[in-house]
Amino acid sequence: MRTLVELAVPAIWILWWAYWQWSARGVKPVIQRESLPSRLAHIIPLVIGALLLAIPVVPGWLGERFLPRGPAMYGLGVAVLAAGLLFSVWARRILGRNWSGTVTLKQDHELIRAGPYRWVRHPIYTGILFGFLGSAIARGEWRGLLAFAIVAIALWRKLRMEERWLTQLFGESYVAYRRETWALLPYVL
């Protein structure tokens, strides 16, 4: 039986998901959307990553620990998870009606450079990646690192597609923005 503290990771993800669904209301109309196969190419890996972390027991080396079990490591994981998802919420709020869960171009699409977008072009992905990293730390098993890697690859693919579309839409303004900011993490990537 799980203790109340052990429920922190799933509770944070559930609260984040509920906010994400609620905040998706009232976005701008779409003028161009990625195809369903393209969308599935990043949704399926995200689901696989989430399942790797959520399944209670995984046999074999994926279920082996790479971090020691204990409240300090779990607490660190929860802190990284919460910070990452709060960062993504901040970015989502700044993006406002321009947000979409799929790669899209919106009617009257705007190039947002405020809030976390001053430092990184894809802060929602940054926050989600930190959420998965925090979950992996809290879990402490190799499957958490595998989940993180799968999600990172999926979001990198999605990021590259978005950048192509935004460069086509905004031209030199977006090229300049790319020169002035990092994709996901300042001074790293």
Side-chain angles (χ1 to χ4, degrees), residues 5 14 20 39-41 50 61 63-64 68 73 88 100 109 111 113 122 128 130-131 135 147 167 176 180-181 186-187:
V5 171
I14 289 167
W20 222 247
R39 174 93 173 120
L40 291 175
W61 68 272
E64 306 250 337
M73 205 52 65
S88 73
S100 176
H109 206 109
L111 179 55
R113 297 182 69 163
H122 304 278
I128 291 170
F130 273 92
S135 298
T167 299
E180 297 163 8
T181 57
Y187 307 106

PDB file of all heavy atoms in Angstrom, residues 5 14 20 39-41 50 61 63-64 68 73 88 100 109 111 113 122 128 130-131 135 147 167 176 180-181 186-187:
ATOM      1  N   VAL A   5       2.677  10.277   0.929  1.00  0.00           N
ATOM      2  CA  VAL A   5       3.817  10.956   0.308  1.00  0.00           C
ATOM      3  C   VAL A   5       4.134  10.337  -1.053  1.00  0.00           C
ATOM      4  O   VAL A   5       4.442  11.047  -2.006  1.00  0.00           O
ATOM      5  CB  VAL A   5       5.055  10.907   1.237  1.00  0.00           C
ATOM      6  CG1 VAL A   5       6.302  11.406   0.537  1.00  0.00           C
ATOM      7  CG2 VAL A   5       4.788  11.702   2.498  1.00  0.00           C
ATOM      8  N   ILE A  14      -1.470  14.515 -12.309  1.00  0.00           N
ATOM      9  CA  ILE A  14      -2.925  14.598 -12.521  1.00  0.00           C
ATOM     10  C   ILE A  14      -3.389  16.045 -12.455  1.00  0.00           C
ATOM     11  O   ILE A  14      -4.185  16.488 -13.297  1.00  0.00           O
ATOM     12  CB  ILE A  14      -3.674  13.708 -11.500  1.00  0.00           C
ATOM     13  CG1 ILE A  14      -3.441  12.229 -11.843  1.00  0.00           C
ATOM     14  CG2 ILE A  14      -5.165  14.035 -11.471  1.00  0.00           C
ATOM     15  CD1 ILE A  14      -3.861  11.262 -10.753  1.00  0.00           C
ATOM     16  N   TRP A  20      -4.067  21.450 -17.865  1.00  0.00           N
ATOM     17  CA  TRP A  20      -3.770  21.465 -19.300  1.00  0.00           C
ATOM     18  C   TRP A  20      -5.055  21.339 -20.116  1.00  0.00           C
ATOM     19  O   TRP A  20      -5.242  22.040 -21.095  1.00  0.00           O
ATOM     20  CB  TRP A  20      -2.802  20.331 -19.636  1.00  0.00           C
ATOM     21  CG  TRP A  20      -1.740  20.749 -20.600  1.00  0.00           C
ATOM     22  CD1 TRP A  20      -1.591  20.305 -21.879  1.00  0.00           C
ATOM     23  CD2 TRP A  20      -0.699  21.687 -20.374  1.00  0.00           C
ATOM     24  NE1 TRP A  20      -0.509  20.914 -22.449  1.00  0.00           N
ATOM     25  CE2 TRP A  20       0.057  21.766 -21.551  1.00  0.00           C
ATOM     26  CE3 TRP A  20      -0.317  22.474 -19.292  1.00  0.00           C
ATOM     27  CZ2 TRP A  20       1.163  22.599 -21.680  1.00  0.00           C
ATOM     28  CZ3 TRP A  20       0.786  23.305 -19.417  1.00  0.00           C
ATOM     29  CH2 TRP A  20       1.502  23.358 -20.598  1.00  0.00           C
ATOM     30  N   ARG A  39       1.418  13.466 -35.721  1.00  0.00           N
ATOM     31  CA  ARG A  39       1.026  13.667 -34.321  1.00  0.00           C
ATOM     32  C   ARG A  39       1.280  12.402 -33.506  1.00  0.00           C
ATOM     33  O   ARG A  39       1.797  12.460 -32.393  1.00  0.00           O
ATOM     34  CB  ARG A  39      -0.459  14.047 -34.269  1.00  0.00           C
ATOM     35  CG  ARG A  39      -1.037  14.138 -32.894  1.00  0.00           C
ATOM     36  CD  ARG A  39      -0.970  15.532 -32.360  1.00  0.00           C
ATOM     37  NE  ARG A  39      -1.689  15.619 -31.099  1.00  0.00           N
ATOM     38  CZ  ARG A  39      -1.115  15.971 -29.967  1.00  0.00           C
ATOM     39  NH1 ARG A  39       0.150  16.277 -29.942  1.00  0.00           N
ATOM     40  NH2 ARG A  39      -1.818  16.042 -28.859  1.00  0.00           N
ATOM     41  N   LEU A  40       0.915  11.268 -34.059  1.00  0.00           N
ATOM     42  CA  LEU A  40       1.111  10.007 -33.346  1.00  0.00           C
ATOM     43  C   LEU A  40       2.593   9.706 -33.122  1.00  0.00           C
ATOM     44  O   LEU A  40       2.946   9.034 -32.151  1.00  0.00           O
ATOM     45  CB  LEU A  40       0.437   8.866 -34.099  1.00  0.00           C
ATOM     46  CG  LEU A  40      -1.095   8.903 -34.098  1.00  0.00           C
ATOM     47  CD1 LEU A  40      -1.657   7.799 -34.988  1.00  0.00           C
ATOM     48  CD2 LEU A  40      -1.658   8.829 -32.690  1.00  0.00           C
ATOM     49  N   ALA A  41       3.448  10.223 -34.002  1.00  0.00           N
ATOM     50  CA  ALA A  41       4.889   9.980 -33.864  1.00  0.00           C
ATOM     51  C   ALA A  41       5.467  10.614 -32.607  1.00  0.00           C
ATOM     52  O   ALA A  41       6.543  10.214 -32.159  1.00  0.00           O
ATOM     53  CB  ALA A  41       5.632  10.487 -35.099  1.00  0.00           C
ATOM     54  N   ALA A  50       5.225   7.698 -20.202  1.00  0.00           N
ATOM     55  CA  ALA A  50       4.358   7.814 -19.023  1.00  0.00           C
ATOM     56  C   ALA A  50       4.053   6.432 -18.437  1.00  0.00           C
ATOM     57  O   ALA A  50       4.075   6.253 -17.213  1.00  0.00           O
ATOM     58  CB  ALA A  50       3.066   8.541 -19.393  1.00  0.00           C
ATOM     59  N   TRP A  61      16.043  -5.605 -15.760  1.00  0.00           N
ATOM     60  CA  TRP A  61      16.936  -4.490 -15.465  1.00  0.00           C
ATOM     61  C   TRP A  61      16.218  -3.147 -15.411  1.00  0.00           C
ATOM     62  O   TRP A  61      16.666  -2.242 -14.708  1.00  0.00           O
ATOM     63  CB  TRP A  61      18.097  -4.445 -16.462  1.00  0.00           C
ATOM     64  CG  TRP A  61      17.679  -4.081 -17.864  1.00  0.00           C
ATOM     65  CD1 TRP A  61      17.260  -4.934 -18.849  1.00  0.00           C
ATOM     66  CD2 TRP A  61      17.631  -2.766 -18.419  1.00  0.00           C
ATOM     67  NE1 TRP A  61      16.944  -4.235 -19.979  1.00  0.00           N
ATOM     68  CE2 TRP A  61      17.170  -2.893 -19.744  1.00  0.00           C
ATOM     69  CE3 TRP A  61      17.923  -1.505 -17.932  1.00  0.00           C
ATOM     70  CZ2 TRP A  61      17.002  -1.806 -20.592  1.00  0.00           C
ATOM     71  CZ3 TRP A  61      17.765  -0.411 -18.779  1.00  0.00           C
ATOM     72  CH2 TRP A  61      17.303  -0.574 -20.094  1.00  0.00           C
ATOM     73  N   GLY A  63      13.569  -2.466 -13.911  1.00  0.00           N
ATOM     74  CA  GLY A  63      13.068  -2.288 -12.558  1.00  0.00           C
ATOM     75  C   GLY A  63      14.160  -2.176 -11.502  1.00  0.00           C
ATOM     76  O   GLY A  63      13.871  -1.959 -10.328  1.00  0.00           O
ATOM     77  N   GLU A  64      15.407  -2.283 -11.933  1.00  0.00           N
ATOM     78  CA  GLU A  64      16.529  -2.159 -10.993  1.00  0.00           C
ATOM     79  C   GLU A  64      16.771  -0.686 -10.686  1.00  0.00           C
ATOM     80  O   GLU A  64      16.529   0.190 -11.510  1.00  0.00           O
ATOM     81  CB  GLU A  64      17.794  -2.760 -11.618  1.00  0.00           C
ATOM     82  CG  GLU A  64      17.595  -4.168 -12.096  1.00  0.00           C
ATOM     83  CD  GLU A  64      18.331  -5.168 -11.263  1.00  0.00           C
ATOM     84  OE1 GLU A  64      19.303  -4.806 -10.616  1.00  0.00           O
ATOM     85  OE2 GLU A  64      17.890  -6.331 -11.287  1.00  0.00           O
ATOM     86  N   PRO A  68      19.691   5.444  -4.861  1.00  0.00           N
ATOM     87  CA  PRO A  68      19.275   4.822  -3.601  1.00  0.00           C
ATOM     88  C   PRO A  68      17.843   5.188  -3.241  1.00  0.00           C
ATOM     89  O   PRO A  68      17.379   6.287  -3.539  1.00  0.00           O
ATOM     90  CB  PRO A  68      20.262   5.395  -2.581  1.00  0.00           C
ATOM     91  CG  PRO A  68      20.783   6.647  -3.194  1.00  0.00           C
ATOM     92  CD  PRO A  68      20.724   6.455  -4.682  1.00  0.00           C
ATOM     93  N   MET A  73      15.964  11.356  -1.852  1.00  0.00           N
ATOM     94  CA  MET A  73      15.961  11.217  -3.316  1.00  0.00           C
ATOM     95  C   MET A  73      14.548  11.381  -3.864  1.00  0.00           C
ATOM     96  O   MET A  73      14.344  12.031  -4.891  1.00  0.00           O
ATOM     97  CB  MET A  73      16.543   9.852  -3.696  1.00  0.00           C
ATOM     98  CG  MET A  73      17.126   9.793  -5.069  1.00  0.00           C
ATOM     99  SD  MET A  73      18.342  11.076  -5.455  1.00  0.00           S
ATOM    100  CE  MET A  73      19.649  10.697  -4.335  1.00  0.00           C
ATOM    101  N   SER A  88       6.284  24.791 -17.158  1.00  0.00           N
ATOM    102  CA  SER A  88       5.466  24.576 -18.363  1.00  0.00           C
ATOM    103  C   SER A  88       4.135  25.316 -18.258  1.00  0.00           C
ATOM    104  O   SER A  88       3.629  25.845 -19.255  1.00  0.00           O
ATOM    105  CB  SER A  88       5.244  23.087 -18.638  1.00  0.00           C
ATOM    106  OG  SER A  88       4.338  22.518 -17.722  1.00  0.00           O
ATOM    107  N   SER A 100      -1.257  25.235 -28.722  1.00  0.00           N
ATOM    108  CA  SER A 100      -1.900  24.061 -29.286  1.00  0.00           C
ATOM    109  C   SER A 100      -1.111  22.837 -28.867  1.00  0.00           C
ATOM    110  O   SER A 100       0.116  22.903 -28.749  1.00  0.00           O
ATOM    111  CB  SER A 100      -1.940  24.146 -30.813  1.00  0.00           C
ATOM    112  OG  SER A 100      -2.479  22.956 -31.344  1.00  0.00           O
ATOM    113  N   HIS A 109      -1.482  34.220 -35.742  1.00  0.00           N
ATOM    114  CA  HIS A 109      -0.428  33.637 -34.907  1.00  0.00           C
ATOM    115  C   HIS A 109       0.583  34.723 -34.535  1.00  0.00           C
ATOM    116  O   HIS A 109       0.959  35.534 -35.362  1.00  0.00           O
ATOM    117  CB  HIS A 109       0.279  32.520 -35.691  1.00  0.00           C
ATOM    118  CG  HIS A 109       0.902  31.490 -34.838  1.00  0.00           C
ATOM    119  ND1 HIS A 109       0.407  30.224 -34.730  1.00  0.00           N
ATOM    120  CD2 HIS A 109       1.993  31.524 -34.056  1.00  0.00           C
ATOM    121  CE1 HIS A 109       1.163  29.510 -33.925  1.00  0.00           C
ATOM    122  NE2 HIS A 109       2.146  30.286 -33.494  1.00  0.00           N
ATOM    123  N   LEU A 111       4.379  35.665 -32.547  1.00  0.00           N
ATOM    124  CA  LEU A 111       5.659  35.175 -32.060  1.00  0.00           C
ATOM    125  C   LEU A 111       5.827  35.712 -30.639  1.00  0.00           C
ATOM    126  O   LEU A 111       6.025  36.909 -30.437  1.00  0.00           O
ATOM    127  CB  LEU A 111       6.805  35.645 -32.959  1.00  0.00           C
ATOM    128  CG  LEU A 111       8.209  35.209 -32.550  1.00  0.00           C
ATOM    129  CD1 LEU A 111       8.302  33.698 -32.416  1.00  0.00           C
ATOM    130  CD2 LEU A 111       9.224  35.729 -33.556  1.00  0.00           C
ATOM    131  N   ARG A 113       7.692  36.275 -27.172  1.00  0.00           N
ATOM    132  CA  ARG A 113       9.075  36.354 -26.682  1.00  0.00           C
ATOM    133  C   ARG A 113       9.117  36.832 -25.231  1.00  0.00           C
ATOM    134  O   ARG A 113      10.149  37.269 -24.759  1.00  0.00           O
ATOM    135  CB  ARG A 113       9.880  37.278 -27.573  1.00  0.00           C
ATOM    136  CG  ARG A 113       9.968  36.747 -28.998  1.00  0.00           C
ATOM    137  CD  ARG A 113      10.794  37.605 -29.877  1.00  0.00           C
ATOM    138  NE  ARG A 113      12.185  37.505 -29.457  1.00  0.00           N
ATOM    139  CZ  ARG A 113      13.200  37.876 -30.197  1.00  0.00           C
ATOM    140  NH1 ARG A 113      13.001  38.377 -31.385  1.00  0.00           N
ATOM    141  NH2 ARG A 113      14.430  37.776 -29.739  1.00  0.00           N
ATOM    142  N   HIS A 122      11.135  26.779 -26.489  1.00  0.00           N
ATOM    143  CA  HIS A 122      10.155  25.719 -26.234  1.00  0.00           C
ATOM    144  C   HIS A 122      10.085  25.410 -24.736  1.00  0.00           C
ATOM    145  O   HIS A 122      10.337  24.273 -24.318  1.00  0.00           O
ATOM    146  CB  HIS A 122      10.518  24.475 -27.046  1.00  0.00           C
ATOM    147  CG  HIS A 122      10.621  24.748 -28.500  1.00  0.00           C
ATOM    148  ND1 HIS A 122       9.522  24.793 -29.325  1.00  0.00           N
ATOM    149  CD2 HIS A 122      11.694  25.043 -29.281  1.00  0.00           C
ATOM    150  CE1 HIS A 122       9.915  25.082 -30.554  1.00  0.00           C
ATOM    151  NE2 HIS A 122      11.215  25.248 -30.547  1.00  0.00           N
ATOM    152  N   ILE A 128       8.126  19.931 -19.364  1.00  0.00           N
ATOM    153  CA  ILE A 128       7.695  18.533 -19.422  1.00  0.00           C
ATOM    154  C   ILE A 128       8.892  17.595 -19.251  1.00  0.00           C
ATOM    155  O   ILE A 128       8.814  16.591 -18.530  1.00  0.00           O
ATOM    156  CB  ILE A 128       6.930  18.248 -20.729  1.00  0.00           C
ATOM    157  CG1 ILE A 128       5.582  18.986 -20.707  1.00  0.00           C
ATOM    158  CG2 ILE A 128       6.735  16.741 -20.940  1.00  0.00           C
ATOM    159  CD1 ILE A 128       4.843  18.978 -22.028  1.00  0.00           C
ATOM    160  N   PHE A 130      11.664  18.235 -17.629  1.00  0.00           N
ATOM    161  CA  PHE A 130      12.028  18.252 -16.212  1.00  0.00           C
ATOM    162  C   PHE A 130      11.009  17.476 -15.377  1.00  0.00           C
ATOM    163  O   PHE A 130      11.366  16.864 -14.371  1.00  0.00           O
ATOM    164  CB  PHE A 130      12.210  19.683 -15.701  1.00  0.00           C
ATOM    165  CG  PHE A 130      13.607  20.190 -15.913  1.00  0.00           C
ATOM    166  CD1 PHE A 130      13.937  20.884 -17.062  1.00  0.00           C
ATOM    167  CD2 PHE A 130      14.592  19.950 -14.974  1.00  0.00           C
ATOM    168  CE1 PHE A 130      15.227  21.334 -17.269  1.00  0.00           C
ATOM    169  CE2 PHE A 130      15.889  20.394 -15.173  1.00  0.00           C
ATOM    170  CZ  PHE A 130      16.220  21.091 -16.324  1.00  0.00           C
ATOM    171  N   GLY A 131       9.751  17.496 -15.790  1.00  0.00           N
ATOM    172  CA  GLY A 131       8.751  16.676 -15.107  1.00  0.00           C
ATOM    173  C   GLY A 131       9.093  15.196 -15.191  1.00  0.00           C
ATOM    174  O   GLY A 131       9.015  14.469 -14.198  1.00  0.00           O
ATOM    175  N   SER A 135      10.319  12.742 -12.176  1.00  0.00           N
ATOM    176  CA  SER A 135       9.629  11.464 -11.956  1.00  0.00           C
ATOM    177  C   SER A 135      10.618  10.312 -11.972  1.00  0.00           C
ATOM    178  O   SER A 135      10.497   9.370 -11.172  1.00  0.00           O
ATOM    179  CB  SER A 135       8.549  11.261 -13.025  1.00  0.00           C
ATOM    180  OG  SER A 135       7.579  12.274 -12.943  1.00  0.00           O
ATOM    181  N   ALA A 147      12.344   6.223 -19.908  1.00  0.00           N
ATOM    182  CA  ALA A 147      11.162   7.058 -20.181  1.00  0.00           C
ATOM    183  C   ALA A 147      11.588   8.472 -20.544  1.00  0.00           C
ATOM    184  O   ALA A 147      11.085   9.058 -21.508  1.00  0.00           O
ATOM    185  CB  ALA A 147      10.232   7.065 -18.974  1.00  0.00           C
ATOM    186  N   THR A 167       9.559  29.208 -38.818  1.00  0.00           N
ATOM    187  CA  THR A 167      10.489  29.923 -39.698  1.00  0.00           C
ATOM    188  C   THR A 167       9.789  30.296 -40.994  1.00  0.00           C
ATOM    189  O   THR A 167       9.964  31.414 -41.503  1.00  0.00           O
ATOM    190  CB  THR A 167      11.742  29.061 -39.983  1.00  0.00           C
ATOM    191  OG1 THR A 167      12.400  28.796 -38.735  1.00  0.00           O
ATOM    192  CG2 THR A 167      12.700  29.770 -40.922  1.00  0.00           C
ATOM    193  N   ALA A 176      16.073  35.297 -36.306  1.00  0.00           N
ATOM    194  CA  ALA A 176      16.740  36.133 -35.299  1.00  0.00           C
ATOM    195  C   ALA A 176      16.447  35.611 -33.891  1.00  0.00           C
ATOM    196  O   ALA A 176      17.343  35.553 -33.041  1.00  0.00           O
ATOM    197  CB  ALA A 176      16.297  37.583 -35.441  1.00  0.00           C
ATOM    198  N   GLU A 180      19.040  34.258 -30.833  1.00  0.00           N
ATOM    199  CA  GLU A 180      19.087  34.952 -29.542  1.00  0.00           C
ATOM    200  C   GLU A 180      18.674  34.073 -28.359  1.00  0.00           C
ATOM    201  O   GLU A 180      18.834  34.483 -27.206  1.00  0.00           O
ATOM    202  CB  GLU A 180      18.172  36.172 -29.583  1.00  0.00           C
ATOM    203  CG  GLU A 180      18.605  37.195 -30.609  1.00  0.00           C
ATOM    204  CD  GLU A 180      17.511  38.200 -30.952  1.00  0.00           C
ATOM    205  OE1 GLU A 180      16.455  38.202 -30.273  1.00  0.00           O
ATOM    206  OE2 GLU A 180      17.710  38.958 -31.903  1.00  0.00           O
ATOM    207  N   THR A 181      18.111  32.899 -28.605  1.00  0.00           N
ATOM    208  CA  THR A 181      17.614  32.039 -27.525  1.00  0.00           C
ATOM    209  C   THR A 181      18.089  30.609 -27.720  1.00  0.00           C
ATOM    210  O   THR A 181      18.576  30.239 -28.785  1.00  0.00           O
ATOM    211  CB  THR A 181      16.070  32.037 -27.486  1.00  0.00           C
ATOM    212  OG1 THR A 181      15.581  31.615 -28.763  1.00  0.00           O
ATOM    213  CG2 THR A 181      15.513  33.404 -27.133  1.00  0.00           C
ATOM    214  N   PRO A 186      18.984  27.003 -21.472  1.00  0.00           N
ATOM    215  CA  PRO A 186      20.026  28.007 -21.678  1.00  0.00           C
ATOM    216  C   PRO A 186      21.433  27.454 -21.443  1.00  0.00           C
ATOM    217  O   PRO A 186      21.670  26.702 -20.498  1.00  0.00           O
ATOM    218  CB  PRO A 186      19.690  29.108 -20.671  1.00  0.00           C
ATOM    219  CG  PRO A 186      18.224  28.961 -20.457  1.00  0.00           C
ATOM    220  CD  PRO A 186      17.953  27.472 -20.555  1.00  0.00           C
ATOM    221  N   TYR A 187      22.335  27.818 -22.333  1.00  0.00           N
ATOM    222  CA  TYR A 187      23.766  27.456 -22.290  1.00  0.00           C
ATOM    223  C   TYR A 187      24.021  25.982 -22.513  1.00  0.00           C
ATOM    224  O   TYR A 187      25.160  25.541 -22.408  1.00  0.00           O
ATOM    225  CB  TYR A 187      24.406  27.924 -20.973  1.00  0.00           C
ATOM    226  CG  TYR A 187      24.178  29.375 -20.707  1.00  0.00           C
ATOM    227  CD1 TYR A 187      23.257  29.784 -19.735  1.00  0.00           C
ATOM    228  CD2 TYR A 187      24.835  30.346 -21.448  1.00  0.00           C
ATOM    229  CE1 TYR A 187      23.019  31.121 -19.510  1.00  0.00           C
ATOM    230  CE2 TYR A 187      24.583  31.701 -21.227  1.00  0.00           C
ATOM    231  CZ  TYR A 187      23.693  32.085 -20.251  1.00  0.00           C
ATOM    232  OH  TYR A 187      23.448  33.406 -20.034  1.00  0.00           O
TER     233      TYR A 187
END
